[in-house]
Amino acid sequence: MKEVVGRVFSIARDNEPIAGCTISKEIYGGDNAISIFSMAEDTDISAEIFPYHKLVLVAEGRVIVYKSDGSERLLGAGDGILTELDTPVGFKSETGVVYTEIEIRRKDIMNKAIKAGQVFKFAELIPYQDGKIVNMDIVHNDKMKFVIMAFDAGTGLSEHAAPGEALIFALDGEAVIRYEGEDHLIKAGENFHFAKGGLHSVKADKKFKMGLLLTLE
């Protein structure tokens, strides 16, 4: 991944749209490529057919995902969608938007809670449980895994090393990520990048939800 390692950052702040333009930046290649898109207000990415799903997570702004039959789905910050296969899908924004897109192949194992073409909120996919950490695998294969975690206040993960590079999406609340001996407060809407083998822990003094995108290549 090309994002900075070992500090809190914001995909939305670091990829602000440029007037009249659409911008894409691939941060991870391969079969499950990960890209960040910035669309200025009143811009459009034409509907096209792709041989894979697109799993979209909106960081800031609003985007309309549309199909050639005229149907549309509006997504705002924190929303997600898994685009449909074998049908033209496009994106347009009247206000400007920044979102992350993950390519999901037909063979990848997708959680049945995610229905292609339906808008959902990542933070609402799992509940908080008293005194517990709740995990839900969203999609995985041998080289990639995307999981959502809900930490009740006072819970956390002890120090361990990442088996691959990892990108954190803070979805709700706040927590302290300890990375290579330094503490970093992360809040909803912010991000963090672990290098492969980076020692880290998570401490949630308050309720906290996050998405963890792990690549194993």
Side-chain angles (χ1 to χ4, degrees):
M1 293 185 194
K2 301 174 184 177
E3 300 305 289
V4 66
V5 174
R7 70 167 176 83
V8 175
F9 68 99
S10 167
I11 285 175
R13 289 195 300 267
D14 292 352
N15 295 275
E16 293 184 357
I18 296 174
C21 301
T22 62
I23 304 168
S24 64
K25 178 175 73 171
E26 185 177 88
I27 61 172
Y28 180 78
D31 286 345
N32 296 108
I34 304 165
S35 299
I36 297 171
F37 284 79
S38 304
M39 300 177 64
E41 62 179 270
D42 297 323
T43 57
D44 185 293
I45 298 175
S46 300
E48 295 180 323
I49 299 173
F50 293 90
Y52 50 82
H53 298 282
K54 296 183 176 189
L55 181 61
V56 171
L57 171 56
V58 177
E60 186 173 83
R62 293 186 296 175
V63 64
I64 295 169
V65 179
Y66 66 92
K67 299 195 298 182
S68 56
D69 63 6
S71 61
E72 298 182 344
R73 298 288 186 270
L74 176 64
L75 286 75
D79 288 342
I81 194 170
L82 181 72
T83 62
E84 298 172 71
L85 286 170
D86 303 322
T87 185
V89 177
F91 299 80
K92 59 185 177 182
S93 182
E94 299 173 351
T95 61
V97 68
V98 180
Y99 63 88
T100 302
E101 177 183 292
I102 309 166
E103 294 180 10
I104 306 297
R105 303 291 163 170
R106 296 173 188 267
K107 62 185 179 181
D108 296 337
I109 300 172
M110 196 80 199
N111 194 298
K112 293 180 180 180
I114 309 298
K115 307 296 183 184
Q118 296 184 6
V119 178
F120 60 90
K121 287 192 175 295
F122 279 90
E124 294 178 0
L125 290 175
I126 54 172
Y128 289 111
Q129 290 277 302
D130 289 345
K132 299 176 182 178
I133 301 171
V134 182
N135 296 268
M136 174 188 281
D137 278 4
I138 300 301
V139 61
H140 69 274
N141 58 36
D142 291 341
K143 297 181 179 179
M144 179 273 297
K145 183 175 185 178
F146 187 37
V147 59
I148 292 178
M149 308 177 72
F151 297 78
D152 191 27
T155 64
L157 300 175
S158 58
E159 190 174 56
H160 60 286
E165 288 192 87
L167 182 60
I168 297 293
F169 299 84
L171 303 172
D172 183 56
E174 63 181 54
V176 173
I177 293 177
R178 187 169 182 81
Y179 183 79
E180 295 293 342
E182 290 190 28
D183 288 342
H184 305 268
L185 179 65
I186 187 169
K187 299 180 180 180
E190 296 180 327
N191 305 91
F192 201 94
H193 178 194
F194 299 145
K196 181 178 180 179
L199 286 173
H200 63 278
S201 62
V202 179
K203 182 181 180 183
D205 291 326
K206 302 178 181 179
K207 291 179 182 291
F208 177 62
K209 291 181 181 180
M210 72 178 194
L212 170 65
L213 178 57
L214 179 65
T215 59
L216 300 173
E217 288 186 296

